[in-house]
PDB file of all heavy atoms in Angstrom:
ATOM      1  N   PHE A  58     134.245 255.873 152.370  1.00  0.00           N
ATOM      2  CA  PHE A  58     133.611 256.370 153.592  1.00  0.00           C
ATOM      3  C   PHE A  58     132.089 256.278 153.498  1.00  0.00           C
ATOM      4  O   PHE A  58     131.427 255.806 154.425  1.00  0.00           O
ATOM      5  CB  PHE A  58     134.048 257.806 153.861  1.00  0.00           C
ATOM      6  CG  PHE A  58     133.462 258.389 155.108  1.00  0.00           C
ATOM      7  CD1 PHE A  58     133.952 258.015 156.343  1.00  0.00           C
ATOM      8  CD2 PHE A  58     132.423 259.298 155.046  1.00  0.00           C
ATOM      9  CE1 PHE A  58     133.418 258.545 157.507  1.00  0.00           C
ATOM     10  CE2 PHE A  58     131.882 259.832 156.194  1.00  0.00           C
ATOM     11  CZ  PHE A  58     132.373 259.455 157.430  1.00  0.00           C
ATOM     12  N   PHE A  59     131.538 256.710 152.381  1.00  0.00           N
ATOM     13  CA  PHE A  59     130.083 256.652 152.245  1.00  0.00           C
ATOM     14  C   PHE A  59     129.565 255.222 152.110  1.00  0.00           C
ATOM     15  O   PHE A  59     128.472 254.918 152.574  1.00  0.00           O
ATOM     16  CB  PHE A  59     129.603 257.514 151.081  1.00  0.00           C
ATOM     17  CG  PHE A  59     129.594 258.974 151.410  1.00  0.00           C
ATOM     18  CD1 PHE A  59     130.280 259.875 150.614  1.00  0.00           C
ATOM     19  CD2 PHE A  59     128.935 259.442 152.518  1.00  0.00           C
ATOM     20  CE1 PHE A  59     130.282 261.219 150.921  1.00  0.00           C
ATOM     21  CE2 PHE A  59     128.926 260.791 152.842  1.00  0.00           C
ATOM     22  CZ  PHE A  59     129.609 261.678 152.035  1.00  0.00           C
ATOM     23  N   VAL A  60     130.345 254.344 151.496  1.00  0.00           N
ATOM     24  CA  VAL A  60     129.951 252.930 151.447  1.00  0.00           C
ATOM     25  C   VAL A  60     129.964 252.347 152.861  1.00  0.00           C
ATOM     26  O   VAL A  60     129.101 251.549 153.224  1.00  0.00           O
ATOM     27  CB  VAL A  60     130.865 252.129 150.493  1.00  0.00           C
ATOM     28  CG1 VAL A  60     130.674 250.641 150.646  1.00  0.00           C
ATOM     29  CG2 VAL A  60     130.608 252.532 149.059  1.00  0.00           C
ATOM     30  N   GLY A  61     130.924 252.755 153.685  1.00  0.00           N
ATOM     31  CA  GLY A  61     130.980 252.293 155.067  1.00  0.00           C
ATOM     32  C   GLY A  61     129.853 252.838 155.919  1.00  0.00           C
ATOM     33  O   GLY A  61     129.338 252.161 156.806  1.00  0.00           O
ATOM     34  N   ILE A  62     129.438 254.066 155.655  1.00  0.00           N
ATOM     35  CA  ILE A  62     128.353 254.672 156.420  1.00  0.00           C
ATOM     36  C   ILE A  62     126.998 254.089 155.998  1.00  0.00           C
ATOM     37  O   ILE A  62     126.179 253.726 156.837  1.00  0.00           O
ATOM     38  CB  ILE A  62     128.350 256.209 156.230  1.00  0.00           C
ATOM     39  CG1 ILE A  62     129.565 256.830 156.885  1.00  0.00           C
ATOM     40  CG2 ILE A  62     127.075 256.832 156.781  1.00  0.00           C
ATOM     41  CD1 ILE A  62     129.561 256.793 158.384  1.00  0.00           C
ATOM     42  N   ILE A  63     126.764 254.008 154.690  1.00  0.00           N
ATOM     43  CA  ILE A  63     125.470 253.549 154.197  1.00  0.00           C
ATOM     44  C   ILE A  63     125.286 252.055 154.443  1.00  0.00           C
ATOM     45  O   ILE A  63     124.198 251.596 154.759  1.00  0.00           O
ATOM     46  CB  ILE A  63     125.317 253.892 152.705  1.00  0.00           C
ATOM     47  CG1 ILE A  63     125.288 255.402 152.535  1.00  0.00           C
ATOM     48  CG2 ILE A  63     124.059 253.274 152.124  1.00  0.00           C
ATOM     49  CD1 ILE A  63     125.351 255.856 151.110  1.00  0.00           C
ATOM     50  N   ASN A  64     126.364 251.276 154.286  1.00  0.00           N
ATOM     51  CA  ASN A  64     126.382 249.837 154.579  1.00  0.00           C
ATOM     52  C   ASN A  64     125.377 249.055 153.732  1.00  0.00           C
ATOM     53  O   ASN A  64     124.568 248.292 154.239  1.00  0.00           O
ATOM     54  CB  ASN A  64     126.138 249.578 156.065  1.00  0.00           C
ATOM     55  CG  ASN A  64     126.582 248.200 156.477  1.00  0.00           C
ATOM     56  OD1 ASN A  64     127.344 247.553 155.764  1.00  0.00           O
ATOM     57  ND2 ASN A  64     126.117 247.744 157.614  1.00  0.00           N
ATOM     58  N   LEU A  65     125.439 249.250 152.440  1.00  0.00           N
ATOM     59  CA  LEU A  65     124.647 248.453 151.522  1.00  0.00           C
ATOM     60  C   LEU A  65     125.543 247.408 150.858  1.00  0.00           C
ATOM     61  O   LEU A  65     126.575 247.748 150.291  1.00  0.00           O
ATOM     62  CB  LEU A  65     124.021 249.337 150.435  1.00  0.00           C
ATOM     63  CG  LEU A  65     122.923 250.283 150.884  1.00  0.00           C
ATOM     64  CD1 LEU A  65     122.525 251.184 149.742  1.00  0.00           C
ATOM     65  CD2 LEU A  65     121.735 249.495 151.377  1.00  0.00           C
ATOM     66  N   PRO A  66     125.192 246.145 150.919  1.00  0.00           N
ATOM     67  CA  PRO A  66     126.031 245.125 150.287  1.00  0.00           C
ATOM     68  C   PRO A  66     126.105 245.273 148.770  1.00  0.00           C
ATOM     69  O   PRO A  66     127.063 244.840 148.148  1.00  0.00           O
ATOM     70  CB  PRO A  66     125.373 243.805 150.666  1.00  0.00           C
ATOM     71  CG  PRO A  66     124.363 244.114 151.694  1.00  0.00           C
ATOM     72  CD  PRO A  66     124.085 245.568 151.655  1.00  0.00           C
ATOM     73  N   GLU A  67     125.086 245.907 148.172  1.00  0.00           N
ATOM     74  CA  GLU A  67     125.092 246.083 146.724  1.00  0.00           C
ATOM     75  C   GLU A  67     126.152 247.072 146.268  1.00  0.00           C
ATOM     76  O   GLU A  67     126.561 247.074 145.116  1.00  0.00           O
ATOM     77  CB  GLU A  67     123.722 246.584 146.237  1.00  0.00           C
ATOM     78  CG  GLU A  67     122.584 245.632 146.494  1.00  0.00           C
ATOM     79  CD  GLU A  67     121.969 245.828 147.864  1.00  0.00           C
ATOM     80  OE1 GLU A  67     122.141 246.900 148.463  1.00  0.00           O
ATOM     81  OE2 GLU A  67     121.335 244.873 148.345  1.00  0.00           O
ATOM     82  N   MET A  68     126.603 247.923 147.179  1.00  0.00           N
ATOM     83  CA  MET A  68     127.590 248.932 146.817  1.00  0.00           C
ATOM     84  C   MET A  68     129.021 248.442 146.995  1.00  0.00           C
ATOM     85  O   MET A  68     129.961 249.187 146.755  1.00  0.00           O
ATOM     86  CB  MET A  68     127.361 250.193 147.634  1.00  0.00           C
ATOM     87  CG  MET A  68     126.042 250.860 147.334  1.00  0.00           C
ATOM     88  SD  MET A  68     125.841 252.401 148.199  1.00  0.00           S
ATOM     89  CE  MET A  68     126.961 253.428 147.289  1.00  0.00           C
ATOM     90  N   SER A  69     129.205 247.207 147.387  1.00  0.00           N
ATOM     91  CA  SER A  69     130.559 246.705 147.599  1.00  0.00           C
ATOM     92  C   SER A  69     131.316 246.529 146.283  1.00  0.00           C
ATOM     93  O   SER A  69     132.538 246.420 146.292  1.00  0.00           O
ATOM     94  CB  SER A  69     130.525 245.389 148.362  1.00  0.00           C
ATOM     95  OG  SER A  69     129.847 244.413 147.608  1.00  0.00           O
ATOM     96  N   TYR A  70     130.605 246.506 145.155  1.00  0.00           N
ATOM     97  CA  TYR A  70     131.296 246.412 143.872  1.00  0.00           C
ATOM     98  C   TYR A  70     132.108 247.675 143.596  1.00  0.00           C
ATOM     99  O   TYR A  70     133.033 247.651 142.792  1.00  0.00           O
ATOM    100  CB  TYR A  70     130.310 246.160 142.734  1.00  0.00           C
ATOM    101  CG  TYR A  70     129.385 247.311 142.451  1.00  0.00           C
ATOM    102  CD1 TYR A  70     129.754 248.297 141.543  1.00  0.00           C
ATOM    103  CD2 TYR A  70     128.155 247.422 143.071  1.00  0.00           C
ATOM    104  CE1 TYR A  70     128.923 249.361 141.283  1.00  0.00           C
ATOM    105  CE2 TYR A  70     127.321 248.478 142.816  1.00  0.00           C
ATOM    106  CZ  TYR A  70     127.710 249.439 141.913  1.00  0.00           C
ATOM    107  OH  TYR A  70     126.884 250.488 141.664  1.00  0.00           O
ATOM    108  N   LEU A  71     131.792 248.780 144.259  1.00  0.00           N
ATOM    109  CA  LEU A  71     132.572 250.001 144.091  1.00  0.00           C
ATOM    110  C   LEU A  71     134.008 249.824 144.559  1.00  0.00           C
ATOM    111  O   LEU A  71     134.927 250.440 144.021  1.00  0.00           O
ATOM    112  CB  LEU A  71     131.915 251.160 144.840  1.00  0.00           C
ATOM    113  CG  LEU A  71     130.615 251.693 144.261  1.00  0.00           C
ATOM    114  CD1 LEU A  71     130.021 252.726 145.185  1.00  0.00           C
ATOM    115  CD2 LEU A  71     130.839 252.271 142.892  1.00  0.00           C
ATOM    116  N   LEU A  72     134.212 248.963 145.550  1.00  0.00           N
ATOM    117  CA  LEU A  72     135.571 248.705 146.025  1.00  0.00           C
ATOM    118  C   LEU A  72     136.398 247.992 144.963  1.00  0.00           C
ATOM    119  O   LEU A  72     137.607 248.229 144.832  1.00  0.00           O
ATOM    120  CB  LEU A  72     135.516 247.890 147.317  1.00  0.00           C
ATOM    121  CG  LEU A  72     134.761 248.546 148.471  1.00  0.00           C
ATOM    122  CD1 LEU A  72     134.681 247.602 149.650  1.00  0.00           C
ATOM    123  CD2 LEU A  72     135.403 249.849 148.846  1.00  0.00           C
ATOM    124  N   VAL A  73     135.757 247.134 144.185  1.00  0.00           N
ATOM    125  CA  VAL A  73     136.453 246.469 143.077  1.00  0.00           C
ATOM    126  C   VAL A  73     136.827 247.497 142.012  1.00  0.00           C
ATOM    127  O   VAL A  73     137.935 247.468 141.467  1.00  0.00           O
ATOM    128  CB  VAL A  73     135.578 245.344 142.488  1.00  0.00           C
ATOM    129  CG1 VAL A  73     136.221 244.726 141.268  1.00  0.00           C
ATOM    130  CG2 VAL A  73     135.297 244.298 143.537  1.00  0.00           C
ATOM    131  N   PHE A  74     135.920 248.426 141.739  1.00  0.00           N
ATOM    132  CA  PHE A  74     136.212 249.474 140.761  1.00  0.00           C
ATOM    133  C   PHE A  74     137.338 250.391 141.243  1.00  0.00           C
ATOM    134  O   PHE A  74     138.155 250.846 140.435  1.00  0.00           O
ATOM    135  CB  PHE A  74     134.970 250.304 140.460  1.00  0.00           C
ATOM    136  CG  PHE A  74     133.985 249.608 139.580  1.00  0.00           C
ATOM    137  CD1 PHE A  74     132.637 249.744 139.821  1.00  0.00           C
ATOM    138  CD2 PHE A  74     134.382 248.822 138.523  1.00  0.00           C
ATOM    139  CE1 PHE A  74     131.705 249.110 139.022  1.00  0.00           C
ATOM    140  CE2 PHE A  74     133.473 248.175 137.720  1.00  0.00           C
ATOM    141  CZ  PHE A  74     132.131 248.325 137.964  1.00  0.00           C
TER     142      PHE A  74
END
Side-chain angles (χ1 to χ4, degrees):
F58 181 76
F59 283 125
V60 168
I62 292 290
I63 295 171
N64 198 17
L65 290 174
E67 297 87 20
M68 295 185 73
S69 63
Y70 68 89
L71 289 174
L72 301 175
V73 175
F74 285 141

